[in-house]
Each structure stands twice: as structure tokens, then as C-alpha cells.
Amino acid sequence: MAARDRTAQLRKGVLELAILAVLDGDEYYSIEIIEQLGAQPALTATPGTVYPLLARLDKADKVTTRWVEAGSGGPPRKYYSLTDEGRAALQEGAAAWEALSGAMGELLRKGGHLS
Amino acid sequence: MKSYLRAVGAHLGSLSRTDRLLALEGLEAQLGELLEAGLDPREALGAPEDYAGELLDALASDAPADEPHLRVLGLPLETRGPVSAKVRSRTWNPESPRLVVPRLLGVGWTLNLGALAVRLRLIRPDDATNEVLDQIPERSVRTAQLAPLLVAGATAGALALMWKKMPDRVASGFDAFGRQNRTSSKISMLGSLMLGVAPAIWALRRQASTEDRLVSAASATTLATVSASAVAASLLSARGPRGRWGLLVPAGALLGIAASLGVIVLPLRAGLRHAWRNVAASREHTGHER
């Protein structure tokens, strides 16, 4: 249980970057984004977590949205895609993540917590 | 779906209008998608108040609240104070040692009452935590919210009583020594009165966090006291034009700061007493168990 809490805390910080990564190269509506995140068990997130983050990214102009008529005759769907600012944020985030994970890996390996 | 949307919207009062519309428009689309996928919004998103909390966290500005919105010729310019609880909180930030912070509306600076309370040793910097704020009795919060209305009401009452006896033109400006140097129509006194009445009425709202309700009540108390002193200076000048009644205005500002400190510190200390009592009771309980 404690390990799951720890994963949740760490994941919260990277979920925004993960959403930007999902949207890299293609547009998706929110449930598809949640499904893509769910494909990685460590990144599984509920709509209650993902929707506010999408609103935050929209407000920060990192994503743009467009309405698309649903083929099934349901309500129109809101599709999200990256803006230039979102792409730049993804690049910066990826570099920061690489540096952070490299440094953490080294520290944890030194202490024998990672093989 | 509509009821969920309305319930979330009711908890987004502290967001700006633009952010609230953005959040609700997105949520409406997402609720449609959830229903299409056969998912219950409450199960997928949680209780509306929890979901609104997530939205407020996500949409909070990344800019530190102490920083002004804009700068003009090096001076801070702020426009968000009336709509942003986060910006308003800069006038009550005991954890920051900065006594002077950008004002909430317009150009210039104002006081950080939190830093002042710490310097006056009324509280410690880490006293105003959420745990303590949660312990403040609702009665204390309501009393604090009524304080500016009492001051503004007394000012309005005094003005109403004196209105007919007032000359058509009254003092509206004073020099550095408190002597009147400008007059205006007595109607202009209604403007001075509204400076206190409008914030006092606004500070009565219940739909906000305890901290924001107290901070708003404290700001409204300062304005109501300044308004009262400006009205009193004009009223007294009409009776004794040679008096230095203009000195009442800076005196009112100082009194307003003292009163606003009381409006926020007294309820906080009531919360602290409750928190300490709870700790003492739980210690006693643990002692008995041993």
C-alpha cells in the first residue's frame, strides 16, 4: 500500500509530461488519453486526475482543442493536440526527466537499491 | 450530468471568469464522453467538491502570489485582487517576512498583515496552517465578516443624521497639516461612504475558504475605517473649518490596520486555542490508556 502511495506521489509530478508525450504526433480525446496512459500500469490515472491536467495544459496554451462529431451519433468530442508551446514544453520536460532519472538512478544504484 | 456540472461550478467561485468558463466547458465535453462510454460521472470523477478542488489546484497560477501582475515604470500594477483568492492571500502571509507587498488593485504597495502580526509577536510564522484554520469556530468567522459592515453602517448612519445640516459644499481635500485645501459638492461624500460599504458587503460572502473570508474581512475593515475617517473629517470640517480634521485620515488608516489585524488574528487565535486543546485532550487520553 505504501509503495502504491509513493508511486502515486511521484506519478503526479510526471503525469503532465506523460500527457504531452501521449499527444506527441497525434490528437486524441480525453478517454483515449486515459487509455494510453493506462497502457503503462505506473501511469494509470483516473478521469478525475487527467481532466484537470488537460484544463491546465489548455489554459497554458500547451494544447489546443477542436470539436469532432462523434460517429456514433453521441455528443461531439473534444480532441486535444499539442501546440508549438506544448512541443517545446515536452522537449524541455524530456530533457529534465532524463537528467533527473539518470541522477536518481545513479544515487539509488550507489545505495544498492537498484541493480 | 447538468447537476454534476452545476455542483462543480458552485465550488469554482475563486477562479477568474475566464478560467471558470474554460474548466466548465471542458468538463461538459468530458461528461458527455463519460456518459457515451457508459461511465457514471460520480464514480469516474469523484464527488463534485473533490473534483472542483483538483481543478482549482490545476488552474492555479504558476506565478508566485507575491509577484505583481504587471510593472509600470518599475511600480507594481495589479488587477487580479478582486477575482483571485491567491492574490488576496498576499496580504496575509505570516510565513513571508516581507512587510510590504504589491497592492491588490492598482499601482503601489500594501501591507502584509501576516508579517506584521509576526513582528508584533501576535502569532508565530507557522501558526496559520490549514489545520488551525479548520479549527476556527464559524461564529468567529461570521463576527469577523460583520466587523467592516458595522463600521460602514455607523458611518452611513452618522452621514444620514448630519446630511440636512451640511452645507452644499464640504471639505474633500486636506494639506499635510490636516487643513482643508479643497471642497466638493456634499454628494461626493457618498463616494467616500461607498469606499467602505461596497467591500463590507462583498466581505460577507460565505462561499470561500476560511482564510479568504478572513482576509477579505480584514481588507474591508481597513477600507471601511479609512472611509469612516474621511467622512468624519468632512463632517467635522463643515462645523469647524479651521480645525486640522484632515489628520483624521492618516489616523484612520493606522486605526484601520490595527482593526484589520484584530479581525484576522482574533479568530486565528481562537482556532489555535481549539487546536491546542485538542492536542492536550488527546495527550490526556493517551496517558489514561497507559
Side-chain angles (χ1 to χ4, degrees):
Chain A
M1 189 67 189
R4 201 184 301 165
D5 286 348
R6 180 70 63 206
T7 307
Q9 281 175 3
L10 291 171
R11 190 185 53 197
K12 204 168 180 182
V14 298
L15 216 45
E16 201 172 299
L17 181 60
I19 292 173
L20 292 176
V22 165
L23 292 173
D24 190 23
D26 213 341
E27 63 172 8
Y28 294 104
Y29 70 100
S30 48
I31 290 185
E32 288 177 328
I33 296 171
I34 292 165
E35 283 169 1
Q36 295 245 10
L37 291 171
Q40 309 289 333
L43 289 172
T44 302
T46 64
T49 308
V50 172
Y51 291 171
L53 287 177
L54 286 170
R56 178 188 171 86
L57 291 170
D58 193 4
K59 184 188 169 191
D61 292 328
K62 289 177 184 167
V63 299
T64 184
T65 61
R66 71 180 184 104
W67 293 98
V68 176
E69 290 296 326
S72 54
R77 287 170 178 160
K78 201 173 186 184
Y79 274 74
Y80 293 81
S81 55
L82 285 190
T83 60
D84 287 344
E85 278 185 48
R87 249 170 246 118
L90 175 59
Q91 268 184 357
E92 280 172 23
W97 175 254
E98 194 173 15
L100 188 66
S101 61
M104 280 305 295
E106 200 167 310
L107 275 179
L108 292 171
R109 265 192 298 276
K110 220 183 262 179
H113 300 289
L114 280 182
S115 52
Chain B
M1 175 171 139
K2 290 279 178 201
S3 65
Y4 192 89
L5 199 63
R6 268 198 303 275
V8 171
H11 289 89
L12 298 181
S14 57
L15 282 182
S16 70
R17 187 171 176 275
T18 315
D19 284 356
R20 197 163 58 243
L21 288 177
L22 168 77
L24 292 178
E25 184 202 66
L27 176 60
E28 192 170 11
Q30 287 146 353
L31 286 172
E33 288 163 10
L34 286 176
L35 287 181
E36 203 189 3
L39 296 170
D40 177 68
R42 280 179 187 269
E43 277 177 25
L45 302 177
E49 55 270 28
D50 295 339
Y51 179 74
E54 293 274 352
L55 269 174
L56 290 174
D57 273 355
L59 294 174
S61 170
D62 288 333
D66 273 1
E67 288 306 310
H69 198 190
L70 297 163
R71 279 190 186 274
V72 177
L73 301 173
L75 294 173
L77 169 64
E78 186 56 79
T79 57
R80 299 170 295 172
V83 293
S84 168
K86 194 176 173 194
V87 171
R88 284 195 292 277
S89 73
R90 74 165 64 128
T91 59
W92 175 256
N93 185 2
E95 289 177 4
S96 163
R98 283 177 68 182
L99 259 183
V100 177
V101 289
R103 59 189 296 181
L104 306 183
L105 183 65
V107 179
W109 292 270
T110 188
L111 260 183
N112 172 7
L113 289 172
L116 184 62
V118 170
R119 295 219 186 164
L120 294 173
R121 297 178 183 268
L122 298 173
I123 57 165
R124 289 175 301 192
D126 56 350
D127 276 347
T129 58
N130 284 336
E131 289 77 11
V132 173
L133 288 165
D134 288 345
Q135 298 281 330
I136 298 177
E138 175 62 18
R139 198 179 56 244
S140 301
V141 180
R142 290 301 290 162
T143 307
Q145 288 182 292
L146 280 173
L149 195 66
L150 284 176
V151 178
T155 311
L159 192 56
L161 282 175
M162 301 290 290
W163 188 258
K164 282 193 176 167
K165 295 177 193 163
M166 300 279 288
D168 287 342
R169 294 193 70 78
V170 294
S172 60
F174 301 89
D175 64 19
F177 303 102
R179 292 199 179 90
Q180 70 175 62
N181 61 4
R182 202 171 60 234
T183 62
S184 302
S185 158
K186 71 175 177 182
I187 300 288
S188 67
M189 291 179 73
L190 296 179
S192 304
L193 178 67
M194 286 314 290
L195 171 73
V197 171
I201 291 173
W202 185 75
L204 286 175
R205 81 220 140 86
R206 286 169 182 258
Q207 296 284 354
S209 68
T210 301
E211 184 181 44
D212 191 33
R213 287 163 73 193
L214 292 176
V215 168
S216 301
S219 299
T221 302
T222 309
L223 289 170
T225 313
V226 170
S227 151
S229 61
V231 169
S234 294
L235 286 175
L236 292 166
S237 287
R239 303 183 78 178
R242 287 170 179 267
R244 297 187 174 196
W245 303 114
L247 294 177
L248 281 175
V249 178
L254 290 176
L255 186 64
I257 291 167
S260 59
L261 262 183
V263 158
I264 202 162
V265 169
L266 292 176
L268 185 71
R269 290 188 68 91
L272 275 169
R273 278 196 300 277
H274 271 82
W276 292 336
R277 228 176 283 152
N278 288 347
V279 171
S282 69
R283 270 196 199 139
E284 204 172 305
H285 182 69
T286 317
H288 282 309
E289 274 188 353
R290 280 177 190 167

